[in-house]
Structure formats: C-alpha cells, structure tokens
Amino acid sequence: ANDDHVPALVIGSGYGGAVAALRLTQAGIATVVVEMGMAWNTPGSDGKVFCGMLSPDQRSYWLRTTTDQPLGYFLGIPVNKSIARYTGVLDSEKFPGIRVYQGRGVGGGSLVNGGMAVVPKRDYFAQILPSVDVASMYDTYFPRANAALGVNAIDPAWFETADCYQFARVSRDQAKASGYATTFLNNVYDFGYMKQEQANTVPRSALASEVIYGNNYGKRSLDKTYLAAAAATGRLTITAQHAVTAVAPAAAGGYSVTMNQLDTAGATVATKTVRADRVFFAAGSVGTSKLLVAMRAQGRLPNLPAAVGQGWGNNGNVMVARANHIWNTTGALQSGMPAMGIDNWADPAGPVFAEIAPFPAGTELWISLYLAITKNPNRAQFSWNSSTGAVGLSWQTAQNQPAVNAAKRVFDTINKAQATVYRSDLFGPNKVWGDDLTYHPLGGCVLNQATDNYGRLPGYPGLYVVDGSLIPGSTGVNPFVTITALAERNLERILTTDI
Ligand code: FAD
C-alpha cells in the first residue's frame, strides 16, 4: 500500500527477480515483488488461463490492438489480426532497429518462453564474464539453478518415436547428413506430462500448439517453482499490475519506489510510493536498463556510472526457415517445446548454436524452422531522450548482419546438401532472415562494469541488479539458466556480506 516501508523490494518477477525473492525470504527477510504484468492464475471465459497460439485473443499481447507474431507472414501475406488492447502476456517492444519479445506477468519470460534450459559452454562463459569464478558456477550455481527450475531431460527413446518430434528428427537427420552435430536440449516443460499428451491421457498444452502466449499445462514456469517456494516461506508479497516508474534515495533512509497501478487496459488507476531498505532491479535487460538510465538522467540516481545503459546485445539471434521436399514431412503435430539444437559453436569461422524450432500450425507445412544463436559482437546503448521523455535503444538492424552471415554458412550448407531452399515468405514478403527481432535481450547493466562483481550499483548501497541486464549481450545459448545461476551466485554473496 501507499507509504509502506518494506525491508526488500524486487522490481519484476522473471528469473532474476524470482531468485532474489526465494533467497531473501528464505533468509527471513519480508520481500515485496512488484510486477507490471498480471498474475496469470484465473481462467478466462473459455476455461483457460492462456489463449492458444493459433487463435490469439486479447490475452496474447501486452497493450496492442493487433498481434505482432514473430513470423508475421505466410506466403508473403500478413497474418496478424486485431485484438482488444489488454495487459496480455507477451510484449513485442519496438525500438527503431529491433523488436524485443518479453514476457509480462508474474513469472516474466518463463510464462511465454520455450522452456529450453541450456547451460552455456564453459570456455565461452569464462570469456563473457571474466570476473566470475567459473568453477563455482559449474560446480555450484548452475546445478542449483537447474534443480530449483525443475529442469528435465527428454527420454531419447521416446523422442525417436513421438509424432510430435518428427520435425526435430527431420532437421537432425539433415544436419547430420550435412556434417553438423546435434544435441538434445533440456527443458523445464515436464516431458513426463508431454508423453501423456502424446498418448492422449491428459489435456494438451505443448501438443496443442501452446508456447509464446503461455502454456496452460505442463510447464514449470517460475510461478510454480521459485516463486511458489518463496511464497511458502510466508514472507513474500507479490503486487501484480504495478509498474515501477521511479527509484530515488529516501530522506528517511533506503529508497523511495514510485509505481503506477495499472488496469487491464494499461491505464493508471493509482500511483503509490513505498520506502524500501533494499531494491533489487529485476525488470529484465530492457526494463532495468530503461529504468536506471531514466533515473540517472532525471537526477534521481545521478551518480550511476556511465556503463549503465551500455553493452546491450541480442544474443546473436536470427531466425530462418527451410522448405523441405514433399517426402520430408515435418508433421501436423509438433510440440511447442523445442528439444534439440544444431551445435556448430566450435566453428571459429562463425559459431552457431541453432535451436530446431517447431512450426506448430496444426497442419503439414514441410517447413524446418530455426532460431540461431550466434556470436554477433555488435552492441548497443540505451539513452535518455529529453524531448520524448523516454529511453531509446541505439540498435540498428544492420548490426545483425554478422548473425545472418554465420547462420547463412550453416543453412546454405544444409540446403546445398539437401537440394532445398529457404522459405522467403514468413518474415516479410521476399525476406529470408528474421533479423529484426530477438527473444534474448541481454546486457545494459553489465556485471563488473555498471555494477560491482555481484550486481551492487556503485554509490547506492542497497541497490542491486539481478537479471539479464548483467550479461554482456551474449551467452551463446538460450539465456535463462545463465541468468538464474548468476543471480544465485550474487544473492548468496549479498546475503552473507550485506544483510
Ligand atoms: P524477465 O524474465 O523478462 O522478467 C522481467 C519482469 O519484469 C517481467 O515480468 C516484466 O513484466 C517486469 N517488469 C519490467 N519492467 C517493470 C517495471 N518498470 N515495473 C514492474 N515490473 C516490470 N530463454 C531460454 O533460456 N530458453 C528458452 O526456451 C527461451 N525461449 C523464449 C521464448 C520467447 C517467446 C521469449 C520472449 C523469450 C525466450 N527466452 C528463452 C528468453 C528468456 O525468457 C529471458 O532471457 C528471461 O526471461 C529473462 O529473464 P530476466 O529475469 O532478465 O527478465
């Protein structure tokens, strides 16, 4: 409530926020999590909490009047449709050079993501975060994160027979025949549940084309793991539909945190200020960076270092699809949860780690779709625009050319070996590369540059960054395990030395 005083306040409820919430409450500290999105726990008139991917309604997008699907075209024709403006679960936040997809709601990105739980390559992790002790990450914090996230492995024998992974087997066989290695990917989606879906003994979610607008069953999202465990301590309060707009030192000590309470149309219905002894920024790479850059520019946190707002990257994301021969059917039934990747990361001429993505249209399309993660070295900055009163991101679409080039080497090779071609109708009319969107925003408040080596903001005791903004633009694999493990490491240190 307005004017409350709380020991710890966490802004955002994604991976970084959920780790902070659990470890603070377990340490006996009453903690409030403030989340701008909704608590996704109440069924709509169709009896489901989330809408399906094939029939998006208002629940799909954050405050938009048309959908903005990652693949916005089919046969070159736009496929987006009108929806009511609503605080839906997936945000496609538009900057001039890139659309950044993010989850909105209690659980952040875990609500909308593909659940792939991938530990980064050890030598690459050492390269991107040289100030972090690598042994303790791989011995302690990655295992701790995987356990608390509920990560599980697919049964390889079942994978070989399941209809819903025919698309992945086709892409794997083609990659192998073209000289590329593939690897299974762990997931937080319960593969035991998925087996039952395939056997038709439980309601379907991954096998009902559910993914980017939420999963009604099967997925161990953060509200069911970290946040549920934090709530079980009795010391957690989650305040949903409240967007933090300002953080500044409070005269009485600690920090005053201002927030707007939102209705489901996104309108502010109340403004509140609470005082917190400690504030954990967990609004995601974009959310945390925007907030801190604005606070510095507005003179509320004027001493934040220049590195705040720097070092943002898209994890080298680029999407691409291939058209298969008529005999290479990819299946009408495709699991929404990817389970395999092409691993060409060791190739010095262009590292690529490509997730074999489903195209769960419910009908045979002969399409092989991929989300490639590449080692794109380009970075961008957030900066305050005083005339608009908003924070912009400098990323230009052309900065993604290194990602396209790296992915092109791999998929040109596969196309040549298979005598197949790219689909050029899915990302725009006559557009092969999905190079203007990302699912993996990282950086903006990089560890040991914008913060100290544990996420503390210099000059402001009691302010911490705990989310994907700490990671310098790239982690070489899908990022949430890296974000979670780094937050575990930092929280452990903060709890032993600061609190
Ligand atoms: P987030 O999870 O983004 O959480 C930030 C939270 O803060 C959000 O809930 C947001 O609403 C809230 N917030 C923001 N600003 C404010 C504010 N001012 N006030 C209050 N609350 C605020 N990664 C993988 O590892 N594997 C995958 O399979 C995978 N698939 C993906 C698929 C999709 C469609 C998307 C969008 C992402 C995917 N990702 C995947 C990426 C992964 O979800 C993100 O890297 C991860 O969620 C980032 O964690 P975070 O803690 O940094 O922030």
Side-chain angles (χ1 to χ4, degrees):
N2 195 27
D3 282 338
D4 274 358
H5 173 219
V6 299
L9 186 144
V10 180
I11 306 170
S13 61
Y15 292 90
V19 172
L22 177 59
R23 301 310 174 196
L24 288 164
T25 53
Q26 281 181 334
I29 300 159
T31 303
V32 176
V33 173
V34 179
E35 166 58 52
M36 70 197 264
M38 298 175 40
W40 291 92
N41 52 19
T42 311
S45 55
D46 59 355
K48 302 233 160 145
V49 172
F50 298 107
C51 65
M53 198 161 71
L54 302 180
S55 51
D57 60 27
Q58 61 179 14
R59 290 170 289 186
S60 58
Y61 282 90
W62 178 256
L63 303 179
R64 290 185 57 87
T65 52
T66 51
T67 63
D68 185 24
Q69 300 191 36
L71 282 71
Y73 298 79
F74 194 77
L75 304 176
I77 297 159
V79 294
N80 285 304
K81 62 172 243 192
S82 296
I83 48 169
R85 189 181 148 89
Y86 188 75
T87 46
V89 73
L90 182 63
D91 194 357
S92 73
E93 189 169 358
K94 269 204 166 77
F95 294 100
I98 195 161
R99 291 178 286 158
V100 183
Y101 284 92
Q102 297 153 89
R104 295 280 176 246
V106 175
S110 77
L111 299 168
V112 298
N113 68 31
M116 280 165 282
V118 192
V119 175
K121 309 262 186 221
R122 191 174 172 127
D123 51 347
Y124 190 59
F125 181 86
Q127 218 175 301
I128 57 164
L129 287 168
S131 63
V132 175
D133 174 50
V134 178
S136 66
M137 289 300 297
Y138 285 78
D139 295 345
T140 304
Y141 303 113
F142 281 120
R144 185 179 293 175
N146 279 334
L149 289 166
V151 173
N152 68 156
I154 194 166
D155 170 356
W158 179 73
F159 172 86
E160 293 303 334
T161 60
D163 288 348
C164 65
Y165 282 116
Q166 186 177 337
F167 77 93
R169 295 192 297 271
V170 166
S171 280
R172 172 196 59 190
D173 295 348
Q174 295 175 338
K176 280 202 171 142
S178 313
Y180 294 110
T182 58
T183 177
F184 282 114
L185 306 177
N186 289 343
N187 206 293
V188 295
Y189 197 93
D190 181 345
F191 281 119
Y193 189 88
M194 199 189 295
K195 270 187 184 175
Q196 293 176 275
E197 290 179 58
Q198 178 76 79
N200 263 318
T201 56
V202 293
R204 286 182 165 187
S205 177
L207 270 55
S209 302
E210 289 183 357
V211 54
I212 60 174
Y213 307 139
N215 282 91
N216 284 298
Y217 315 98
K219 196 204 258 179
R220 294 165 180 152
S221 48
L222 290 167
D223 50 324
K224 302 191 171 65
T225 58
Y226 271 98
L227 293 170
T233 66
R235 288 185 277 270
L236 179 70
T237 306
I238 298 182
T239 305
Q241 288 178 265
H242 282 64
V244 171
T245 55
V247 177
Y255 295 88
S256 75
V257 180
T258 308
M259 60 195 84
N260 290 336
Q261 182 176 0
L262 307 177
D263 66 17
T264 56
T268 297
V269 294
T271 297
K272 302 172 185 174
T273 299
V274 303
R275 188 162 65 87
D277 298 336
R278 292 187 166 76
V279 178
F280 294 79
F281 287 84
S285 161
V286 174
T288 291
S289 302
K290 284 198 309 188
L291 203 46
L292 289 173
V293 165
M295 293 305 95
R296 184 180 55 201
Q298 294 171 11
R300 296 179 208 242
L301 298 172
N303 301 326
L304 287 175
V308 167
Q310 307 278 321
W312 186 87
N314 67 353
N315 206 21
N317 278 186
V318 61
M319 292 188 82
V320 70
R322 298 174 37 255
N324 283 302
H325 295 293
I326 200 93
W327 57 87
N328 262 333
T329 51
T330 50
L333 178 68
Q334 302 194 7
S335 172
M337 299 294 130
M340 187 165 265
I342 298 172
D343 186 354
N344 191 43
W345 194 257
D347 183 349
V352 174
F353 184 86
E355 136 202 352
I356 297 171
F359 199 120
T363 180
E364 178 59 50
L365 289 175
W366 293 274
I367 291 175
S368 288
L369 180 68
Y370 309 87
L371 170 64
I373 295 168
T374 68
K375 201 174 166 181
N376 185 348
N378 288 322
R379 296 292 178 267
Q381 302 89 46
F382 292 91
S383 53
W384 174 250
N385 182 331
S386 53
S387 54
T388 60
V391 176
L393 176 63
S394 68
W395 184 267
Q396 303 293 309
T397 308
Q399 287 182 272
N400 217 15
Q401 195 58 43
V404 174
N405 296 348
K408 190 171 187 304
R409 283 182 75 239
V410 170
F411 295 107
D412 277 2
T413 305
I414 294 177
N415 273 339
K416 199 169 168 217
Q418 300 296 322
T420 51
V421 295
Y422 292 112
R423 292 284 299 222
S424 59
D425 61 317
L426 303 173
F427 298 100
N430 213 2
K431 183 167 168 52
V432 168
W433 301 99
D435 60 353
D436 60 347
L437 70 150
T438 186
Y439 291 162
H440 298 166
L442 292 171
C445 205
V446 172
L447 189 86
N448 213 35
Q449 295 178 25
T451 72
D452 80 351
N453 200 23
Y454 294 91
R456 302 178 183 100
L457 281 164
Y460 296 101
L463 294 190
Y464 305 91
V465 176
V466 292
D467 58 20
S469 57
L470 293 171
I471 295 164
S474 167
T475 189
V477 292
N478 314 68
F480 75 62
V481 174
T482 310
I483 295 168
T484 306
L486 194 64
E488 288 282 16
R489 166 195 179 268
N490 295 350
L491 257 294
E492 185 179 274
R493 172 61 64 106
I494 290 162
L495 281 165
T496 49
T497 62
D498 297 19
I499 301 180

